Amino acid sequence: MILAADPLYGGDLLGDILITLLKAGVAFTFLLVAVMLMIWFERKLISDMQNRIGPNIAGPWGIFQTLADGIKLFFKEDLVPENADRFVFKLAPYLALVPAFLVFAIVPLGGDFNRKDGSDGVVSIFGHDTFLQVADPPMGILFFLAMSSIAIYGIMLAGWGSGSKYPLLGAVRASAQMISYEAALGLAIAAVVLQTGSLSTHDMVIDQAAGGYGGIIPNWNIVVTGFVPFFVFFIAGTAELNRPPFDLVEAEQELVGGFHTEYSSIRFALFFLAEFMNTITMSAIMVLLFLGGPAGPALFFPEGWWIGTFWFFLKLMAFLFTFVWFRATLPRFRYDQLMDLGWKVLIPISLAWFLLLAGLRLGDDRDWTYNETLAFMVGCIITFALLGGLLIGAINTARAERVREEADRG
Amino acid sequence: MTEVVVFCVAAALALVGALGVVVSKNPVHSALFLIQTLMGVAVLFVLQEAHFLAAVQVVVYAGAIVILFLFVIMLLGVDKAEDFAVEPIAGQRPLAAVVGGALLAIGLTVMVVAVDGSTGTSATFDPQTGQPAETALDSIGADGQPITDIERIGRVLFSDYALAFEITAALLTIAVIGAVVLTRTVSRGERLDDLEPASFDLPPVAPHDNQPDHDSAGESGA
Amino acid sequence: MLGQYLPLLALFVLAAAFAAGSFIASGLLAPRDPSAAKRAAYECGIVPTRETPERFPVRFFLVAMIFIVFDIEIIFFYPYAVAYGGLGVFGLVVIMVFSFAVFESFVYLIGNGALEWGPLKQVAGPAGAVSVQRTTGTTVRRVGLEDRGYAEGVGTEDADDTDEEAA
């Protein structure tokens, strides 16, 4: 197992610190600009799909609309409701915003992974060798899970800190939704970790940059892990972001503004910013986990780190487009449908798939014969079918029990 | 040098958080201070090169257990500030002082007496030579690369400690059963109050005036 | 190894500084004109007359408890995923027994209705809600399409006569 580490640290301290600050600063600026453009992109794309024009006044094609809105929000009055817990009310936007920034740090953004000379993705900035990602902590993708867990606090404390019952109800429902889908998220990531053999994000890119099947299909995890973990992660990620079709807790028709009803001006702007930033980072994580991150053929580019960056952004745009597409087309899930999907569908499927993958990979490593592998797969499928039947039976029993109770009472 | 600084900062964070948990008048503030303590402990884990445990600390403890605490606090409505001058049970404070003092004394005694082997060196000693013994957990793997902490955990957990692991599974099952039993009588027959009404009428099919499309991106700052 | 976390600290400081800076800027730029109406809790314009005693469903508490259990279980999968190679079939059997225990408790949970979120009465809606006559063509009137080459008669009166009798 490679203990992959960013080769930056270990040299002279001043150079390390400066390069670190440079990378962090670039990522920070990039994220802010990307969020600005993402909001514009969403409004423009939705308006296209709804056959209207969208923002077109502030700047060419309305690109500065987000900036204008942000600046407008600075000038709005900042209201703190009288029943609010002032400390928690003011803390909540920080808890929503900071994890959104931090997750982006572990995502590899570029680098040339095609060279077979062992210099996987290492670039040289001012003479220091480093990866084109802000950080490569040994816990890797678990850092993403940790930050997802912290992001829940932003919403929950916002709702509670507002001191009124609609935000609290919205916040509790949003938190319940987010924790329900985090389990499925964790299982899908476990399937990818099974394939990679390491938690480090850099290792994941190296693993997926290796040659694929017949040289044509790349070794991306979406193919290698079967498509199921990808779909589970996609759906769970969309629910985790509170994005349509899972945006019940922010729906205006339901609970006014949900957890951010009482927030005005810049505090509201920070929540909004955090939501779109989370969208971008979740897409980046999906690209990293399943689509190979910056890995991609050189095509017509000369060799260099920009190959990786080009491919990364191409894949990222695909996901951002899909998220906006969902918003424009799909109707909203009802809350109970949402929770049922998260608990009763995604968790059993991802659990079963993880076990199947584990067995198959073990068979691959230990060179089981074809018959042994087939026997294992058939055994698994039969067992999972039986257990799935048990689960469906349990669901029906519970439902019948409720109907019976309702009939008894009513 | 940096390790000492990081240790001091993390330890201070953890201690201040712990103090805050006990001293806060508002239970929600206590929960937030608890998160601060857990973050401090996570940093201490990182200092000990236990990166996986640090992540698990945040994911499970700060990301699930404290959320449960907050749910309970919000659900039970005990989120109002307490008045510490009122003592519900008589004799609590002297008893707390006695027990706390006793625990402190025991802890200090253990620390002072058990100095040998508590310096963080290898936990297994070869009885003959008194030197750290070679364990199955080598720190260098087959390919000459150092093994990550998570892999070392994985290697022992599912082989040497498989029984303990399965007992943990039984423990978690018991926890689930306990959760269901505890909430059973309350949840039966409880009216759902956050879903759609029992009936609705469809609008007539004749074309009606459409609402103007509103920008659905939600840019509606107050 | 500790150096790997330095960029995270740097980004954390930058993010926190950005948020703090925004608040300071807002404090300088925004007007401050509080009134009783503005500070009251928002309730769609209705003035809250009394504090309704809230009785939150206990389902949320259950979800949080069960999530802890499942989170721990999922965390156990990660060391296995990293170290499955050296563990062989024995390790596979261990994790399968563990998963089976997890699944067993999950089935018990669902069978007892702990994760029942659905409405007690499954509402089917008025009869004729979903029928062949009700399409987007007959229920939605498209505005402004007259000069865009769409066929006349889409969403116009002739199509509606069939729906009057079905509704």
Side-chain angles (χ1 to χ4, degrees), chain C residues 64-148:
Chain C
M65 264 203 290
I66 288 157
F67 172 64
I68 294 180
V69 173
F70 276 82
D71 212 16
I72 295 173
E73 285 164 335
I74 286 162
I75 280 298
F76 275 126
F77 282 132
Y78 281 87
Y80 179 76
V82 175
Y84 74 93
L87 295 167
V89 182
F90 181 76
L92 185 67
V93 170
V94 167
I95 197 95
M96 279 197 161
V97 170
F98 177 76
S99 312
F100 179 71
V102 168
F103 188 74
E104 187 68 44
S105 64
F106 187 62
V107 168
Y108 174 76
L109 198 66
I110 290 183
N112 264 289
L115 290 179
E116 265 305 301
W117 291 82
L120 281 168
K121 275 205 269 271
Q122 296 281 351
V123 181
V130 178
S131 74
V132 179
Q133 284 84 15
R134 288 183 68 95
T135 64
T136 47
T138 58
T139 54
V140 175
R141 179 173 73 107
R142 291 196 180 95
V143 177
L145 293 178
E146 293 79 33
D147 51 350
R148 289 197 205 178

Side-chain angles (χ1 to χ4, degrees), chain A residues 1 3 43 69 76 85 138 142 146 149-150 152-153 156-157 160 173 199 272 327 334 401-402 405, chain B residues 26 28-29 32 35 39 52 62 66-67 70-71 74 79 143 145-146 148 151 188-189 196 215 217 219:
Chain A
M1 289 302 125
L3 193 66
R43 292 174 73 168
D69 282 328
K76 296 278 184 174
D85 185 321
L142 279 184
S149 307
I150 301 293
I152 299 178
Y153 284 108
M156 222 161 76
L157 294 172
W160 180 82
R173 284 169 64 162
L199 292 174
F272 201 61
R327 178 170 225 146
R334 213 172 56 213
E401 183 74 17
R402 291 200 72 155
E405 255 181 44
Chain B
N26 192 322
V28 174
H29 293 172
L32 291 179
I35 297 175
M39 292 297 181
F52 175 65
V66 181
I67 287 189
L70 279 174
F71 267 34
M74 292 179 196
D79 51 352
D143 51 356
Q145 301 285 336
T148 53
E151 188 175 346
R188 283 283 159 116
E196 43 264 85
D215 196 329
E219 265 286 19

Side-chain angles (χ1 to χ4, degrees), chain A residues 232-290:
Chain A
V232 167
F233 190 94
F234 198 15
I235 297 172
T238 314
E240 188 79 17
L241 293 171
N242 290 328
R243 277 206 62 106
F246 301 105
D247 65 339
L248 187 71
V249 289
E250 297 178 344
E252 279 141 25
Q253 300 89 332
E254 298 283 329
L255 289 167
V256 195
F259 61 91
H260 55 70
T261 309
E262 298 287 351
Y263 280 82
S264 57
S265 93
I266 196 61
R267 303 186 203 278
F268 169 76
L270 286 180
F271 275 115
F272 201 61
L273 206 75
E275 179 180 329
F276 278 90
M277 208 172 291
N278 272 319
T279 309
I280 295 178
T281 53
M282 182 71 79
S283 308
I285 294 281
M286 269 196 278
V287 167
L288 159 72
L289 284 176
F290 293 102

Side-chain angles (χ1 to χ4, degrees), chain A residues 110-124 132 296-311:
Chain A
D112 191 358
F113 288 88
N114 294 326
R115 271 184 260 170
K116 303 293 176 216
D117 56 358
S119 74
D120 309 294
V122 173
V123 298
S124 176
L132 258 187
L299 289 186
F300 45 83
F301 288 113
E303 269 193 19
W305 56 267
W306 39 82
I307 302 175
T309 315
F310 166 73
W311 282 111

